[in-house]
């Protein structure tokens, strides 16, 4: 719960928090679900900062609106990759997909809107070519049917947060 009061946290702390959250949720989803985090070493994750609760929000949405509704085998994966431009974080589930027009309740829409607004403010303060980005899309099988949902956050190297992160 310490993360809730923080504006920004390191990626290793956010992923640790999310892993703990997922362990609790696995007990509440009928039949449980498979969960995996694929990420670089913790030392590398400790050098990347992210707005607090971003990954948790996407994970919560994947569980509540994807996996809880799915019959059969359920899977949630968080993958982190880095390259010369920055860090990409993907939250992927094999649920029924995402349709903003049919989301139940306001919480998801509000959470995603807060993420988008936060990213817009961060990008406004950073005058760099590479910007923080967020996208969400459905995954498709070869036959065109929906195979799940994937949310992606891109954090460019050297992004600055305002107010600055205290060390």
């Amino acid at each position: 719960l310490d993360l809730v009061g923080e504006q920004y946290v390191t990626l290793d702390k956010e992923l640790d928090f999310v892993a703990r959250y997922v362990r609790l949720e696995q007990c509440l989803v009928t039949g449980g679900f498979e969960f995996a985090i694929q990420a670089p070493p913790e030392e590398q994750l400790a050098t990347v900062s992210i707005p607090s609760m971003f990954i948790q929000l996407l994970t919560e949405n994947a569980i509540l609106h994807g996996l809880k509704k799915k019959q059969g085998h359920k899977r949630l994966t968080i993958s982190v990759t880095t390259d010369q431009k920055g860090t990409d974080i993907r939250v992927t589930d094999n649920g029924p997909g995402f349709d903003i027009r049919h989301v139940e309740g306001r919480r998801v829409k509000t959470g995603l809107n807060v993420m988008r607004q936060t990213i817009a403010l961060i990008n406004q303060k950073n005058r760099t070519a590479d910007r923080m980005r967020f996208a969400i899309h459905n995954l498709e099988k070869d036959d065109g049917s929906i195979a799940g949902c994937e949310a992606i956050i891109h954090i460019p190297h050297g992004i600055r947060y305002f107010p600055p992160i205290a060390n």
Side-chain angles (χ1 to χ4, degrees):
L1 290 177
D2 290 341
L3 295 186
V4 175
E6 300 291 327
Q7 284 187 304
Y8 308 101
V9 296
T10 57
L11 193 47
D12 62 325
K13 288 181 182 176
E14 177 84 358
L15 288 173
D16 180 61
F17 176 81
V18 169
R20 292 170 193 256
Y21 166 75
V22 168
R23 282 195 293 275
L24 292 172
E25 286 291 334
Q26 282 176 312
C27 299
L28 301 174
V29 173
T30 304
F33 57 91
E34 179 185 336
F35 173 65
I37 295 177
Q38 302 160 349
E42 198 170 301
E43 306 80 50
Q44 191 174 350
L45 298 175
T47 66
V48 178
S49 293
I50 183 169
S52 181
M53 306 300 284
F54 265 30
I55 301 172
Q56 190 279 336
L57 173 70
L58 297 176
T59 301
E60 181 178 3
N61 286 347
I63 293 168
L64 292 176
H65 303 288
L67 301 183
K68 280 193 175 179
K69 295 179 180 183
K70 180 174 173 53
Q71 299 296 314
H73 180 74
K74 303 170 184 97
R75 183 179 61 252
L76 174 66
T77 304
I78 299 172
S79 63
V80 179
T81 55
T82 59
D83 61 20
Q84 315 82 283
K85 290 187 175 187
T87 301
D88 290 329
I89 303 155
R90 298 172 185 272
V91 178
T92 308
D93 68 69
N94 69 335
F98 178 78
D99 184 349
I100 193 71
R101 297 168 300 171
H102 298 101
V103 173
E104 298 167 10
R106 296 180 40 96
R107 188 167 181 201
V108 173
K109 291 179 187 177
T110 301
L112 295 180
N113 285 336
V114 167
M115 283 184 65
R116 288 186 178 109
Q117 290 170 1
T118 300
I119 290 170
L121 288 171
I122 291 168
N123 286 336
Q124 185 178 20
K125 300 288 185 178
N126 284 271
R127 305 278 186 220
T128 59
D130 194 15
R131 302 168 76 66
M132 185 181 279
R133 295 185 304 274
F134 169 69
I136 188 166
H137 64 271
N138 289 328
L139 302 172
E140 292 185 3
K141 297 178 185 175
D142 290 338
D143 65 4
S145 63
I146 294 175
C149 183
E150 180 175 64
I152 305 165
I153 303 169
H154 172 75
I155 304 168
H157 291 307
I159 194 139
R160 296 181 328 222
Y161 296 107
F162 299 88
I165 298 172
N167 290 329

